[in-house]
Amino acid sequence: MSKIRRVGDELKRSRNQIIKDVIKNNHDFFDHRIEDRLNSHQSFNSNGIDEAFFDIILEDENDDCKPLELLRTEIMNNGKIGFDTTCSDALKMLLGDLLLECVEKEKTVALKKVLNWIQFQLAPINKVKGLLKDWNYEKAIGSDRSTPKWNGLTGNSQAMIRACEKDDFWMVSALMSFRVSLTDQIEDTFRIDDSEFKPCESDVREQFKNRFTARNFFTFPLSKRKYLEKANDILHHYNSFYAVSKPAYLIARAEKENKSKKFEMDVTPYDPISEAFHNLHIARIQSFRNVEYRNKFKTVKRESKEFIVKMLDRCENCSEARLFLLQDYKIDHYFTDAMIDEMPYPRIEVAVADKHEEFVAHDYCQQILREKWLQSDVTGEIMQWHSSKMYEKVFYFIDCVLLYPLHILMYIPTVFCGGYPKNKEGYQRQKTPEGDMEEETQFCCGLKLIRQSWLHLSFPINRFIANTISHLLFLIIIVLNSENPEDEDKKIDPDWYDFGIIVMAVGFLATECRDLWKRFKGKNFSFWNFFGISLYLILLGSKATIVIGYVLGCGEEGIPFGKILADCKLDTPDEHGRNSPVVVGYSFLGIGITMSFIKLIYFCQIDPTTGPIAISIKKIVKDIVLVTVTHLIFLFSFGLGIYYIMQATNDEKCEEKDRHMFRTPGDSFKALFWNLFDPGKIEQLGCKSIPEKAPRYLGMGLFFMFLLFNVVILMNALIAIMNSTLNAVNMDKIKQWKFARTGIWLQYISTNLILPCPFNLIEFLVLFVRFVYAKCTCQPKEQKNLRKEWNTARYMSLVEKLSERYRIHEEDSDKNDITREDIENTKQDIIHALRKSYG
């Protein structure tokens, strides 16, 4: 027989005086119940009496709720509560622990019962109401306004945070439904403070749309020694942020916030999907700012991504998915109004900016974007691209190449009229009264060709093809410039292809700079964007350097500037000297030519076969850059060390070919660098005849260490990293390819610049003239305000449906041992048995 644990002995261990008092004053009710629980070994901790007390309340199924009624009576009769700080704190701890116990043991029914008891039985007591106000609100000195506190009963409640962490919708919803009117102006409820990572919610200057007008980026707080007023408890704030990012919290709060709202134009709803995107964005930023907690923020990123994708999965058709993608009520936290108005599907733009590959590669997103990619901006007609055979696509591309000048020529007049008239919904043929579709207007052969040529560039895919053709023509001009077939000896004769490179490079650079400006405003930078800007700057810089070199070189020969082309005979770069700007310009021109052909990889990303290869190459280049940094550290450290050691040796007794190669720092770096590809030549440190043996052997030791670190360790580490990168790409190469392709699609879908390079310079010139004219005449800037077209009521109705479908799906998922269907079946069986027994 085990020793019976007596209630009196255990009562001394209780850490809450109110629990002690209520058990002592009602021992007839509590003693045997507590003793039963203690003897059944349900609790082994030092506060077993407290846990047994909470279990009695949680497991009470009677309608009279006698344990809670006895506790309420004790609170009313206790004269110290409300006056004595210790007793008041004991009550706060009791209520907090009771709610937390309900959540930890997942007693949803008991939690609702306790919340109702607090709301309707306990809170009306005057001293309790006063304590709730003191616990949860405070007044600043000299102010009559009460502000919430976050260390009371309802602010940052541990029960609320744990319910969110458990992702239990019903418990979170029950806690959010709790409301107590403390004064005429204050209504207390459970809430979580996530303002530390979301300053944009309370400070309008932190919102991205206002950064360029309200924020100064050149404040330099580090240089000016601006310090924080107090240290931030990042883990504490993270727990709150993690709680509000859980789907249960997002859906429960949406139901609470939107219940009494009428969705009109100026009303912003609480959208759980927009909030999930925003949480993903914040977690992505904070993972870089707080690297110590990167894994924790990655958890928020992963779970937010899963929730967003699951909500999109709940859409039943493309119509719902399109509405899902059209609206995002936090879009102004990422982009400016001008950018938002150019976006066909803002939510996809947000997903691309935050690298949400699963969402972008989702079937619905890809289907809707593919339709937009093949659809005319004017008529809404859709090309039959994917249903066409390969030879038909090749023939179409050849047709685009041959008619390229005609397509450009037909659109140029439209530039001066403001571009294509946009038709967002697309052209829809109307039905006749008989129910048949109305016939399209018929044109003769010539007018039809003119109309098709004019509409050709209204298709985003055709704009991409036109830009590809322009780049191919650019490469042809570069090849002609390299061959220089029309060159005359001993004469500086610039040919048309020399000017063609400059004009086309300026056109491409203008497009890339505009894209960079958009990406900078959206913090969505692209490798290929930086690559393109670097490429065209190198080409233009090299051409400018060559011209300057010719002018300076011919000027040294005494030839006037106006007669350089006619009289100067210094035609080749080597005639200007090895340090001439002409030589430098030609060297950089070679680099630019190499980069121009590498740019073809960018266009390969559109193809499902070559696209994953292009993505793998880009990721491997990043790995090589990271390893190169380490290699350069070893190169400079060992190179300088071996150089200074070998200065102490005298290799005059060695033959010329056997002398060491570390005579200058440059020679030292060069010798070590090329040893990376052909390692192990010890003869580079001189012959055995060198009398200074110790320095030579010490240099050999450093040379051995360099080869060990770089050839054996670093190179193998690079190979392992590249293998890991390739394996990661191959595991989800289709998803990554779709993500990369979407970036290209959006670049041509959401743009008001139609013409390819170099004809886009005409569009830039027209836009510049209009801008200057508008500024000079003080014309107000036109804003389309795409958000005015959003149907908030229809969208929020969809969100409610998706939320309900999401809850049902999660309840019936494989992770639950008992599904919702099992519960319903059991319920029906019980009802049937009761009817049979009483019938």
Side-chain angles (χ1 to χ4, degrees):
M1 293 290 293
S2 62
K3 187 177 179 180
I4 298 177
R5 300 162 62 184
R6 305 302 304 171
V7 176
D9 298 334
E10 291 294 330
L11 197 59
K12 300 177 183 179
R13 301 184 182 182
S14 175
R15 61 177 183 173
N16 195 294
Q17 185 61 42
I18 297 178
I19 294 179
K20 293 180 181 179
D21 293 342
V22 72
I23 294 176
K24 286 180 180 178
N25 296 333
N26 302 277
H27 60 87
D28 293 338
F29 178 83
F30 284 105
D31 281 1
H32 67 281
R33 289 178 171 83
I34 292 177
E35 189 171 310
D36 290 342
R37 283 163 176 77
L38 294 176
N39 291 334
S40 62
H41 300 282
Q42 292 184 2
S43 175
F44 298 94
N45 56 44
S46 59
N47 293 318
I49 190 75
D50 294 351
E51 188 171 346
F53 177 77
F54 291 143
D55 286 342
I56 293 173
I57 296 176
L58 267 59
E59 296 172 6
D60 181 65
E61 298 179 355
N62 297 323
D63 295 335
D64 58 356
C65 301
K66 188 172 182 179
L68 291 175
E69 183 60 31
L70 294 175
L71 179 58
R72 177 178 178 273
T73 303
E74 179 62 32
I75 294 171
M76 289 180 62
N77 296 334
N78 193 328
K80 294 182 179 181
I81 295 178
F83 299 96
D84 183 72
T85 304
T86 303
C87 290
S88 299
D89 290 342
L91 177 60
K92 183 173 72 171
M93 183 174 66
L94 170 62
L95 297 178
D97 290 345
L98 179 58
L99 293 172
L100 183 60
E101 194 75 11
C102 294
V103 173
E104 292 291 358
K105 295 188 176 181
E106 299 182 356
K107 300 286 187 178
T108 306
V109 176
L111 177 64
K112 292 180 179 179
K113 181 174 64 176
V114 172
L115 288 172
N116 288 333
W117 173 72
I118 296 175
Q119 181 175 356
F120 299 108
Q121 300 294 327
L122 199 61
I125 303 173
N126 289 332
K127 61 180 180 181
V128 176
K129 182 179 291 188
L131 286 174
L132 288 174
K133 184 179 178 181
D134 292 339
W135 291 338
N136 303 319
Y137 292 88
E138 62 183 354
K139 287 184 179 181
I141 299 176
S143 175
D144 294 333
R145 183 178 180 183
S146 297
T147 57
K149 294 169 63 176
W150 302 104
N151 58 351
L153 179 65
T154 56
N156 285 346
S157 166
Q158 288 300 310
M160 181 70 170
I161 292 176
R162 282 296 295 149
C164 294
E165 290 175 349
K166 287 175 173 289
D167 204 17
D168 191 313
F169 168 79
W170 301 111
M171 287 197 294
V172 175
S173 181
L175 287 165
M176 283 190 177
S177 300
F178 175 84
R179 292 176 180 274
V180 174
S181 296
L182 302 179
T183 64
D184 294 338
Q185 293 81 23
I186 301 177
E187 187 176 56
D188 197 17
T189 184
F190 285 93
R191 59 199 184 278
I192 299 177
D193 178 26
D194 60 343
S195 60
E196 176 64 25
F197 299 141
K198 295 182 179 180
C200 53
E201 302 290 343
S202 55
D203 188 355
V204 73
R205 293 175 300 172
E206 296 288 339
Q207 291 189 12
F208 185 80
K209 62 177 180 179
N210 296 314
R211 280 189 180 178
F212 293 95
T213 57
R215 294 192 64 186
N216 180 11
F217 282 98
F218 301 99
T219 55
F220 302 111
L222 294 179
S223 300
K224 292 183 178 181
R225 304 299 191 270
K226 292 183 179 180
Y227 303 109
L228 294 173
E229 296 180 359
K230 60 179 181 178
N232 289 330
D233 187 349
I234 299 297
L235 281 177
H236 171 74
H237 293 301
Y238 168 79
N239 291 334
S240 300
F241 174 62
Y242 178 62
V244 301
S245 69
K246 299 294 286 187
Y249 176 88
L250 297 174
I251 295 176
R253 185 173 175 185
E255 288 190 359
K256 173 189 172 184
E257 297 280 345
N258 300 326
K259 184 179 296 184
S260 58
K261 285 184 179 179
K262 293 183 179 179
F263 300 118
E264 299 174 352
M265 181 179 297
D266 297 331
V267 176
T268 301
Y270 184 89
D271 178 18
I273 304 170
S274 299
E275 292 292 334
F277 271 108
H278 195 215
N279 292 332
L280 167 61
H281 177 74
I282 291 171
R284 180 167 168 261
I285 294 174
Q286 294 299 328
S287 65
F288 291 103
R289 292 181 180 177
N290 302 285
V291 293
E292 300 85 355
Y293 312 108
R294 180 167 292 178
N295 289 334
K296 291 184 176 295
F297 287 106
K298 282 185 176 180
T299 302
V300 177
K301 287 169 55 179
R302 185 187 69 253
E303 294 183 359
S304 297
K305 288 180 177 181
E306 291 176 355
F307 171 66
I308 293 168
V309 172
K310 286 180 179 179
M311 290 291 278
L312 183 57
D313 283 335
R314 304 284 75 78
C315 292
E316 295 181 343
N317 49 58
C318 254
S319 177
E320 290 186 351
R322 185 175 283 104
L323 181 60
F324 185 99
L325 300 178
L326 278 173
Q327 300 177 202
D328 191 289
Y329 291 93
K330 287 189 177 292
I331 188 69
D332 53 0
H333 290 254
Y334 315 99
F335 308 106
T336 59
D337 291 338
M339 295 177 64
I340 295 171
D341 291 338
E342 294 182 6
M343 295 177 180
Y345 297 104
R347 191 153 273 171
I348 295 181
E349 298 276 2
V350 175
V352 171
D354 284 327
K355 306 295 186 293
H356 192 347
E357 295 179 350
E358 294 85 353
F359 181 83
V360 174
H362 195 278
D363 293 340
Y364 278 134
C365 293
Q366 291 297 304
Q367 180 175 342
I368 292 170
L369 279 178
R370 185 178 73 169
E371 179 181 320
K372 193 71 177 176
W373 174 249
L374 301 174
Q375 187 179 42
S376 170
D377 296 335
V378 180
T379 65
E381 298 169 335
I382 300 176
M383 293 177 59
Q384 300 183 25
W385 178 266
H386 294 282
S387 60
S388 301
K389 298 179 181 179
M390 179 56 67
Y391 71 88
E392 294 175 333
K393 297 178 182 178
V394 173
F395 180 79
Y396 181 78
F397 181 80
I398 296 173
D399 177 71
C400 291
V401 173
L402 297 177
L403 296 179
Y404 177 79
L406 179 61
H407 298 153
I408 302 298
L409 184 63
M410 292 303 301
Y411 179 75
I412 287 178
T414 311
V415 175
F416 301 94
C417 301
Y420 284 127
K422 296 286 184 177
N423 183 3
K424 289 184 63 61
E425 298 299 327
Y427 170 76
Q428 299 290 338
R429 286 186 293 165
Q430 303 297 321
K431 290 186 178 182
T432 62
E434 291 77 16
D436 300 328
M437 298 300 294
E438 64 178 5
E439 296 183 0
E440 293 183 350
T441 305
Q442 299 295 323
F443 297 95
C444 65
C445 183
L447 291 178
K448 185 176 182 180
L449 177 61
I450 293 174
R451 180 178 180 272
Q452 289 178 348
S453 299
W454 177 69
L455 292 173
H456 180 80
L457 294 177
S458 67
F459 293 86
I461 185 175
N462 289 339
R463 296 198 284 269
F464 172 78
I465 293 174
N467 195 53
T468 305
I469 295 172
S470 292
H471 188 76
L472 294 176
L473 293 175
F474 182 56
L475 296 180
I476 293 173
I477 293 175
I478 286 178
V479 172
L480 289 175
N481 181 79
S482 303
E483 293 291 334
N484 202 4
E486 300 179 6
D487 182 45
E488 296 183 17
D489 292 337
K490 301 300 179 180
K491 184 178 180 181
I492 299 177
D493 53 339
D495 299 299
W496 65 269
Y497 35 78
D498 293 302
F499 296 102
I501 289 180
I502 296 174
V503 173
M504 296 200 74
V506 170
F508 282 123
L509 181 62
T511 301
E512 295 291 350
C513 288
R514 182 178 183 273
D515 190 36
L516 176 65
W517 178 244
K518 290 176 61 177
R519 291 180 181 277
F520 176 74
K521 287 188 173 183
K523 300 299 181 188
N524 179 24
F525 299 110
S526 167
F527 166 80
W528 288 110
N529 184 234
F530 286 117
F531 183 88
I533 291 175
S534 303
L535 158 63
Y536 302 122
L537 285 177
I538 288 174
L539 289 175
L540 292 174
S542 63
K543 282 294 183 180
T545 305
I546 291 172
V547 171
I548 294 172
Y550 276 124
V551 172
L552 295 177
C554 296
E556 292 176 357
E557 297 293 325
I559 301 174
F561 179 77
K563 296 184 177 181
I564 289 178
L565 295 179
D567 299 338
C568 187
K569 297 182 179 181
L570 302 177
D571 186 21
T572 58
D574 58 287
E575 295 176 339
H576 291 262
R578 61 179 184 177
N579 296 323
S580 168
V582 178
V583 176
V584 175
Y586 269 94
S587 301
F588 277 95
L589 182 62
I591 296 175
I593 291 172
T594 303
M595 295 176 66
S596 299
F597 280 88
I598 292 177
K599 183 70 183 291
L600 289 173
I601 297 177
Y602 165 78
F603 298 96
C604 292
Q605 293 180 109
I606 205 72
D607 183 73
T609 304
T610 59
I613 299 175
I615 296 170
S616 301
I617 293 174
K618 185 176 72 172
K619 291 183 178 293
I620 287 175
V621 168
K622 293 181 180 179
D623 295 336
I624 294 175
V625 170
L626 293 176
V627 175
T628 301
V629 173
T630 308
H631 171 66
L632 291 177
I633 294 174
F634 286 130
L635 180 66
F636 280 96
S637 58
F638 282 96
L640 288 174
I642 296 175
Y643 162 70
Y644 279 106
I645 289 174
M646 297 306 294
Q647 294 304 301
T649 63
N650 185 359
D651 59 352
E652 292 181 355
K653 296 182 179 181
C654 299
E655 296 182 7
E656 185 67 28
K657 64 177 182 178
D658 294 332
R659 292 183 177 181
H660 70 79
M661 303 178 65
F662 299 90
R663 300 189 176 278
T664 65
D667 292 339
S668 180
F669 296 146
K670 182 173 67 174
L672 292 182
F673 177 79
W674 292 111
N675 264 283
L676 188 66
F677 304 99
D678 188 16
K681 293 183 179 179
I682 200 65
E683 294 80 6
Q684 293 176 339
L685 285 96
C687 64
K688 297 180 180 179
S689 301
I690 294 177
E692 295 81 9
K693 302 295 184 182
R696 180 171 180 266
Y697 288 139
L698 186 58
M700 287 182 180
L702 284 182
F703 185 62
F704 166 76
M705 295 296 294
F706 174 80
L707 294 178
L708 178 66
F709 281 115
N710 284 270
V711 179
V712 178
I713 299 177
L714 206 58
M715 288 297 292
N716 285 289
L718 176 60
I719 294 172
I721 293 172
M722 291 191 297
N723 284 332
S724 177
T725 300
L726 289 175
N727 290 334
V729 173
N730 287 329
M731 286 179 62
D732 54 357
K733 62 180 181 180
I734 298 299
K735 180 181 68 178
Q736 296 196 33
W737 166 70
K738 288 180 179 180
F739 184 83
R741 183 183 65 172
T742 299
I744 299 177
W745 279 0
L746 292 175
Q747 186 178 352
Y748 292 91
I749 291 174
S750 57
T751 181
N752 56 359
L753 296 177
I754 304 299
L755 290 174
C757 175
F759 305 100
N760 60 335
L761 294 176
I762 300 174
E763 289 184 293
F764 280 110
L765 181 61
V766 171
L767 290 175
F768 177 74
V769 171
R770 287 182 175 176
F771 174 78
V772 173
Y773 177 77
K775 288 295 183 181
C776 293
T777 57
C778 298
Q779 292 183 356
K781 186 177 180 180
E782 295 184 3
Q783 289 289 347
K784 294 182 290 184
N785 198 353
L786 181 65
R787 282 166 289 187
K788 287 185 177 180
E789 302 176 9
W790 291 356
N791 190 332
T792 303
R794 181 166 169 252
Y795 171 76
M796 292 310 300
S797 175
L798 172 64
V799 170
E800 291 178 6
K801 294 178 182 177
L802 296 179
S803 300
E804 182 64 24
R805 295 171 192 168
Y806 172 83
R807 286 205 306 267
I808 295 174
H809 178 268
E810 289 300 298
E811 291 171 359
D812 291 343
S813 61
D814 294 335
K815 67 181 180 181
N816 295 322
D817 296 331
I818 301 177
T819 65
R820 187 170 178 271
E821 184 180 358
D822 295 333
I823 295 174
E824 291 294 332
N825 292 336
T826 304
K827 178 181 176 182
Q828 295 298 326
D829 292 340
I830 293 173
I831 293 174
H832 179 72
L834 291 174
R835 287 176 178 175
K836 186 175 181 181
S837 59
Y838 290 102

